[in-house]
Amino acid sequence: MNRIQKFFTKIKGLLVHRFFQVLLFLILGLFAYGLMFSNVKPEKIQVELFKPAEQTIRSTKTVEDTYKTEQEKEEISKQVADVYTLKKEYAKNKVDLISSIFDSAIEVNKETDPERDKKEEGKEDKKEPIKTDAQKVSILKEKLTDEVNRNIEDSVFLALVQADEDELEIAKDSTITAVNNVMSSRIAASDVENAKKKVVEELGYMSINSDMKKASNSLARTAIIQNVFFDKDKTEEQRRKAIESVEPIRILQGQIIVEENQLVDRDVYRQLELAGFLSTESTIYPYIGLLLFILLTFGAFYYFFSFSISKRDNKYNQLLIFSLVFILSMATMKTVSVLADLKNSNLEYIFPGAMAAMLIKILLNDKLAVAMIILLGSYGTIIFNGDTPGNLDFSMGLYIIFGGLAAIIILSRPNFKSKVLIAGLLMSLINMAFVFSLIFIMDGHYTKMEYLYHAAAAIGSGVGSAVLTMGLLPFFEAGFGILSSMKLIELSNPNHPLLRKILIEAPGTYHHSVMVANLAESACEAIGSNGLLARVGSYYHDIGKTKRPHFFIENQMNEENPHDRLQPETSRDIIIAHAVDGGEMLRSHKFPKEIVDIAEQHHGTTLLKFFYHKAKKQDDTTVEACYRYPGPRAKMKEVAVIGIADSVEAAVRSMQHPTPEKIEELVSFIIQDRIQDGQFDECDITMRELSIVKHSLCESLNGIFHSRIEYPEPDKLGQKVKE
C-alpha cells in the first residue's frame, strides 16, 4: 500500500500544474467517449422489398408520414357533405307576386263594374263600358309583366276576371298562405315537384268555385320553385376546416415498423425509408453530438474543480479520487450493458450505480457525490440504450440518479456511515419500488417471472453497491491516506489495542479522554465540524501518557506525587514529552495523520504555568519559552476544540463545588486565555464559533456536574429505616 500511496502522491504533485489537470480531464473524456462510441454508432439494417425482415425494426425517431397524412386529408375532404344555402327571400318574392296578381285582378274587376257606369251617366266624355272577358284579360295582362304573362295560362287570367271580389279575396289569402308555408321549407331541385303537390293539397280545402280553385292551384304551382342552392364558398370552408383538423400521422419513436419475418411490402418499405433506415449515406452527427455532450459535462467539472474548490480543501486529492471512482463506475456500467445485450435481458437494473455516490459521499463530500451520480446517470442513458429506440434510455438514467440520491440521503442519517450494508438493503427496497413505478408508468405487460426478475435485479443493485463500497473503501483510504468515517468508527472500538493499553496502564487518563471526547464531539457538531473525528481524536490525544502514567495526576491513586521530588525542568520534560511521545506512538501504529496531529497539537504552544512559576521562584532568569509545549499550534477546528475541552475538563474536575456560574466563568477564562496567547492564530475558527463552543461546553459540563441530593450518613439512614 505504501507504493500505491507514493504513486498517487506523485500524481497529485503533477496535478498542481494546470497542464496536467487539463490532460487528466482529456483522458477522462476520451475514456468516456471510447466506452460510449459503440452506443451511438448508427445501426446498419439490411432489408429488401417483398422479402421477410431479418429482425424487428423500431423507429429511432419520430417522423411524419406525409403520404398517409395526405391520404387521410383526402378521405376527410371527401366525407364533407356539400353545403346548400336556403334563399329565404324567394318565399317573400313569390308571395308578393301572387298578392300582386290577385290585387291586379281585383282592380280590373272594379274598373269594369257595370254599377260604376250607371253612377257616371250624365258626365261628359263618358267612356264606353267594357263588357267582354277578353277585354278584361287584356287589361289584366297589361298590369303584369311579360315574364308573368308567359308563365301563367290564359285560363287562369280568365278565371280571375270572372270571379267576384269576395272569391278573389278568399283565393288570394289561401294561395298566399299555402305558398308561404311550402316555400318556407327547404326545396331542392329534386323536391320541387313534391312541393308543388303539397301546395295543391293545402289549397284543396278552399270553398270557392272549381274554376277559381284551378286558377289558384296553377298560380301556387307556378310560385313554387327551388330555394336551396349549392354554396361553393361554404363547402370549401368546411372542407378546409376538416383538413386542418387532421392530425399529422407520425411514425413514433419506439414504434415497431416491421416485425421479424414479416414481409416488407411497399408501405413498410416507405416507412423504413422515412425513418432513415434505408439511407446509404454514413452520418457523423451522433459522434459529434456525443463529443459535444462530453465536452460540456467535463468542461463544467473542470470549472468546478478549478474555481469552486479551494486549496485548503485538498482539491487535487479530491480530483484524483473523483476520477478513479468515475473510471471504475463507467467500466462497470459498460460491462453490465454488454452482458445485458448478450443475454437480451433487463440485466442493466443490476448495475450498482449507488456505489459511486456512496464512495464519494464517504471519502469526499455530499456535493461531489451528487455531481458524480448526475454525471453517471446522464452517461447511463447512452450506455444502456441497447433495447431502446434512439440513443437515449431516460428511464435507466432516472434509475441511476434516483438510486444514487437515495444512497446519499440514507448515509446522511446519524450512524448510517457505519452501516453501509444496512444502507444497501434500504436502497434495494427503494430501487425495487422505483423499477416497479417505471414499469407501471410505461404500462408494461410482464409475467410474474419477469416481475421477480426485475425485483431481484433491483435488490442486487442495492446490495452490490454496499458490498463494493465496503470492499473498495480500504484501498482508497490506504492509497490516499484518507480518514473516512468508516475508519474513525473502527478506531473508536474499545477493543482497539491502544485504547486497551490506555485503559489498563492509565485508567485515569482513559476516563479523562472519554470525558474530553463527549465534550469535544458536542462542541464540534454545534459549529458544523467533524464531531466523530473530535471524539476519536480525544480517545487517543493523551496516548503518550502511557509511557509514564504515574507522573500525571489523574493516574495517581492515593500515591505520592513524584513531581514533588523532581526539579521543575525534569517535570517539564516529562509533561511536555507526552504530546511528542503520543505522536510517535500513533505514527508507529500507522494511524491517520489527523489523529496524529490531534495528539501533537492539542496543547499547541501553551505554557506549563505551574512548573514555570515553580522554576521562577528558584531562578528569576528562567525563560518562559522553555516551559512551553513545542507545538505546533492547532491547524484544524477539531484540534482547537479538543484543546479547550481538555483544559476545561481537567480544571472543572479539580473544582470542589462546581456551579453553573463557576463553570461558565472558568470556560470563558480558558478560551480567552488561549485567544490572548495566540493559540488559534493558525486555525480558521471564528469568534462566533468559539462562543458556540463555550455554550456547548457549559451545557455538557452542567449535565455532568449537576447538583445531587445529599443523602444522610449511613448511621442516620439506618436509624430512620428502623423508625
Side-chain angles (χ1 to χ4, degrees), residues 362 411 413-419 477 483-493 513 516-526 528-540 592 594-595 598 636 638-639 641-642:
I362 295 172
L411 290 180
R413 295 183 58 191
N415 301 323
F416 261 83
K417 291 181 180 179
S418 61
K419 301 176 182 178
E477 291 172 356
L483 181 59
S484 67
S485 300
M486 296 286 293
K487 182 66 175 178
L488 286 172
I489 292 168
E490 179 185 340
L491 294 176
S492 67
N493 190 337
S513 299
V516 171
N518 293 332
L519 296 173
E521 182 181 35
S522 299
C524 282
E525 289 180 351
S529 293
N530 192 338
L532 183 58
L533 173 60
R535 170 171 286 279
V536 178
S538 298
Y539 287 159
Y540 295 94
E594 291 83 353
I595 305 298
I598 289 172
M636 301 185 300
E638 291 81 2
V639 179
V641 173
I642 291 172

Side-chain angles (χ1 to χ4, degrees), residues 118-327:
K118 291 178 181 180
K119 293 177 182 177
E120 292 181 352
E121 286 182 1
K123 293 184 180 179
E124 295 181 359
D125 300 329
K126 181 175 70 173
K127 296 181 181 180
E128 290 294 328
I130 300 171
K131 300 295 185 182
T132 65
D133 292 336
Q135 290 177 323
K136 292 181 180 181
V137 170
S138 178
I139 294 171
L140 179 58
K141 285 186 175 182
E142 289 177 1
K143 293 181 178 290
L144 302 175
T145 63
D146 292 340
E147 183 180 358
V148 173
N149 293 334
R150 284 195 302 270
N151 293 332
I152 299 175
E153 299 175 355
D154 289 342
S155 59
V156 175
F157 290 127
L158 182 60
L160 290 174
V161 298
Q162 289 178 349
D164 58 28
E165 187 175 345
D166 292 336
E167 286 182 332
L168 287 173
E169 290 290 347
I170 294 171
K172 173 187 173 182
D173 293 339
S174 300
T175 305
I176 288 174
T177 302
V179 170
N180 187 61
N181 290 339
V182 175
M183 285 294 290
S184 296
S185 60
R186 300 176 67 87
I187 303 174
S190 59
D191 298 330
V192 172
E193 193 58 36
N194 290 333
K196 289 182 177 183
K197 291 179 180 180
K198 184 176 181 181
V199 77
V200 170
E201 290 176 1
E202 289 198 16
L203 292 172
Y205 300 102
M206 286 192 303
S207 57
I208 55 177
N209 64 66
S210 59
D211 291 337
M212 191 65 238
K213 183 177 290 188
K214 289 180 181 179
S216 296
N217 289 341
S218 179
L219 287 172
R221 285 177 61 85
T222 303
I224 301 303
I225 61 173
Q226 177 185 351
N227 63 358
V228 174
F229 297 91
F230 173 70
D231 192 328
K232 182 180 179 181
D233 293 337
K234 288 188 177 180
T235 301
E236 291 298 327
E237 183 180 357
Q238 291 297 322
R239 288 177 180 168
R240 180 180 57 79
K241 289 181 179 179
I243 290 172
E244 290 177 353
S245 66
V246 175
E247 292 289 337
I249 297 176
R250 295 182 175 90
I251 302 172
L252 301 177
Q253 181 180 4
Q255 177 181 329
I256 295 176
I257 300 177
V258 61
E259 297 275 4
E260 185 178 358
N261 296 323
Q262 178 185 343
L263 184 69
V264 180
D265 56 19
R266 291 191 181 279
D267 189 54
V268 171
Y269 196 82
R270 179 183 53 77
Q271 292 183 21
L272 290 172
E273 187 175 14
L274 278 174
F277 289 107
L278 304 182
S279 176
T280 56
E281 298 180 1
S282 58
T283 177
I284 62 171
Y285 291 120
Y287 308 121
I288 295 175
L290 178 61
L291 179 61
L292 289 174
F293 184 55
I294 291 175
L295 287 175
L296 285 172
T297 52
F298 278 102
F301 277 102
Y302 175 77
Y303 177 84
F304 176 78
F305 277 102
S306 297
F307 302 103
S308 298
I309 301 179
S310 61
K311 290 184 179 180
R312 63 185 177 82
D313 290 324
N314 199 5
K315 68 178 179 181
Y316 307 121
N317 208 38
Q318 294 185 5
L319 177 57
L320 197 53
I321 293 173
F322 190 91
S323 302
L324 289 175
V325 174
F326 173 76
I327 291 172

Side-chain angles (χ1 to χ4, degrees), residues 388-407:
T388 305
N391 289 331
L392 298 173
D393 185 356
F394 291 105
S395 61
M396 193 60 197
L398 286 174
Y399 174 75
I400 295 172
I401 292 174
F402 193 88
L405 293 177

Side-chain angles (χ1 to χ4, degrees), residues 572-617:
R572 173 201 63 191
D573 294 339
I574 294 173
I575 299 298
I576 288 177
H578 88 273
V580 178
D581 293 340
E584 292 176 354
M585 291 175 66
L586 293 173
R587 281 194 195 91
S588 65
H589 284 79
K590 309 297 183 185
F591 264 64
K593 182 179 181 298
E594 291 83 353
I595 305 298
V596 176
D597 288 344
I598 289 172
E600 291 181 335
Q601 299 173 14
H602 71 281
H603 282 295
T605 58
T606 54
L607 178 67
L608 286 170
K609 294 181 179 180
F610 178 81
F611 295 108
Y612 168 69
H613 291 300
K614 184 178 179 181
K616 192 76 172 173
K617 289 179 181 179

Side-chain angles (χ1 to χ4, degrees), residues 635-685:
K635 307 292 185 183
M636 301 185 300
K637 292 181 182 180
E638 291 81 2
V639 179
V641 173
I642 291 172
I644 296 170
D646 182 39
S647 298
V648 165
E649 195 280 332
V652 172
R653 182 161 36 85
S654 65
M655 294 175 67
Q656 293 296 327
H657 299 287
T659 62
E661 292 76 16
K662 290 181 179 179
I663 290 174
E664 183 176 359
E665 183 180 354
L666 178 63
V667 174
S668 297
F669 173 78
I670 290 174
I671 293 176
Q672 288 298 323
D673 182 60
R674 293 211 168 204
I675 293 173
Q676 293 172 5
D677 199 25
Q679 296 303 314
F680 304 137
D681 290 353
E682 299 177 21
C683 176
D684 59 354
I685 194 166

Side-chain angles (χ1 to χ4, degrees), residues 262-475:
Q262 178 185 343
L263 184 69
V264 180
D265 56 19
R266 291 191 181 279
D267 189 54
V268 171
Y269 196 82
R270 179 183 53 77
Q271 292 183 21
L272 290 172
E273 187 175 14
L274 278 174
F277 289 107
L278 304 182
S279 176
T280 56
E281 298 180 1
S282 58
T283 177
I284 62 171
Y285 291 120
Y287 308 121
I288 295 175
L290 178 61
L291 179 61
L292 289 174
F293 184 55
I294 291 175
L295 287 175
L296 285 172
T297 52
F298 278 102
F301 277 102
Y302 175 77
Y303 177 84
F304 176 78
F305 277 102
S306 297
F307 302 103
S308 298
I309 301 179
S310 61
K311 290 184 179 180
R312 63 185 177 82
D313 290 324
N314 199 5
K315 68 178 179 181
Y316 307 121
N317 208 38
Q318 294 185 5
L319 177 57
L320 197 53
I321 293 173
F322 190 91
S323 302
L324 289 175
V325 174
F326 173 76
I327 291 172
L328 179 63
S329 300
M330 288 291 289
T332 306
M333 189 186 298
K334 186 64 177 180
T335 303
V336 173
S337 70
V338 170
L339 293 175
D341 290 340
L342 290 176
K343 295 187 177 182
N344 194 23
S345 63
N346 290 322
L347 187 65
E348 61 265 19
Y349 285 117
I350 205 171
F351 169 63
M355 172 195 68
M358 297 173 79
L359 283 172
I360 299 297
K361 161 74 178 177
I362 295 172
L363 295 172
L364 302 180
N365 55 57
D366 292 355
K367 186 163 56 175
L368 287 175
V370 172
M372 171 64 80
I373 205 62
I374 292 175
L375 181 65
L376 291 179
S378 60
Y379 286 176
T381 61
I382 299 175
I383 290 181
F384 290 112
N385 65 355
D387 294 332
T388 305
N391 289 331
L392 298 173
D393 185 356
F394 291 105
S395 61
M396 193 60 197
L398 286 174
Y399 174 75
I400 295 172
I401 292 174
F402 193 88
L405 293 177
I408 294 170
I409 293 171
I410 291 172
L411 290 180
S412 297
R413 295 183 58 191
N415 301 323
F416 261 83
K417 291 181 180 179
S418 61
K419 301 176 182 178
V420 175
L421 187 58
I422 296 176
L425 293 175
L426 285 176
M427 284 163 47
S428 299
L429 298 177
I430 295 172
N431 286 345
M432 187 166 56
F434 189 74
V435 168
F436 285 142
S437 71
L438 290 177
I439 292 173
F440 296 151
I441 289 172
M442 294 185 292
D443 195 20
H445 300 286
Y446 296 94
T447 63
K448 291 182 179 179
M449 287 303 299
E450 287 175 324
Y451 279 117
L452 289 174
Y453 180 82
H454 282 85
I459 293 172
S461 173
V463 175
S465 297
V467 171
L468 287 172
T469 300
M470 294 171 65
L472 292 171
L473 270 178
F475 293 97

